[in-house]
Amino acid sequence: MAERVGIVVVAGGSGSRMGAAMPKQFLEVAGRPVLVRTIERMHAALPDSQIVVVLPEAHVELWQECYEKAKCRVEHSIALGGATRFDSVASGIAALSDDCTLIAVHDGVRPMLSVEMIRRGVECAEKNGAAVPVIAVVDSIREVDSQGASHA
């Protein structure tokens, strides 16, 4: 990987569909906030990259608390999100330094991608100008009761 990679991690969701007390990017999975896990995975795959986390202004303080509590050491900067996802991604891109010649955009609540997938995506983008990594969908069956509650 010869190009300098800038990573924009968009984490502006409110988690309202989940019904949680706080946005899902700050919820813990196995003792670590989801967003911490996401930036740690990106850093593990591309340690020389520049990472920008895009958040709504109202979530910046909560993020800083989660980051410190988790004792995360991944260097990153924060950009403020916009009215739409497009605006938020644009804000993150604008916060990257000029030496970033390749830009990766990732959803902050998707921490379970592999280091290998991240690296393959970057290599494909370097070769072809763009890449969209995908994984096959796994079908699942849900049983729903008369109130609409799902049961696996």
Side-chain angles (χ1 to χ4, degrees), residues 11 27 63 88 92 114 116 133 141:
L27 296 175
W63 165 240
S88 295
S114 70
E116 180 58 31
I141 298 174

Side-chain angles (χ1 to χ4, degrees), residues 37-136:
R37 289 186 174 281
T38 300
I39 67 168
E40 286 176 337
R41 185 62 53 99
M42 292 299 194
H43 178 72
L46 304 168
D48 296 327
S49 64
Q50 178 187 359
I51 299 175
V52 174
V53 175
V54 184
L55 296 162
E57 188 171 5
H59 293 168
V60 172
E61 189 174 324
L62 177 58
W63 165 240
Q64 290 169 333
E65 290 170 12
C66 288
Y67 178 84
E68 289 173 20
K69 180 182 173 194
K71 295 182 171 65
C72 186
R73 300 290 178 250
V74 176
E75 284 190 36
H76 66 285
S77 57
I78 296 172
L80 297 181
T84 66
R85 184 174 181 89
F86 179 89
D87 295 328
S88 295
V89 170
S91 177
I93 291 170
L96 292 170
S97 62
D98 290 339
D99 68 337
C100 292
T101 54
L102 193 77
I103 298 169
V105 177
H106 189 69
D107 189 327
V109 297
R110 307 281 182 253
M112 302 303 189
L113 69 168
S114 70
V115 165
E116 180 58 31
M117 178 183 273
I118 297 166
R119 290 180 180 157
R120 280 194 330 258
V122 168
E123 289 168 4
C124 182
E126 284 179 323
K127 179 180 176 187
N128 299 298
V132 179
V134 296
I135 55 175

Side-chain angles (χ1 to χ4, degrees), residues 6-25:
I7 301 172
V8 176
V9 178
V10 185
S14 65
S16 59
R17 286 181 298 175
M18 238 179 104
M22 72 171 50
K24 59 187 171 184
Q25 60 268 36

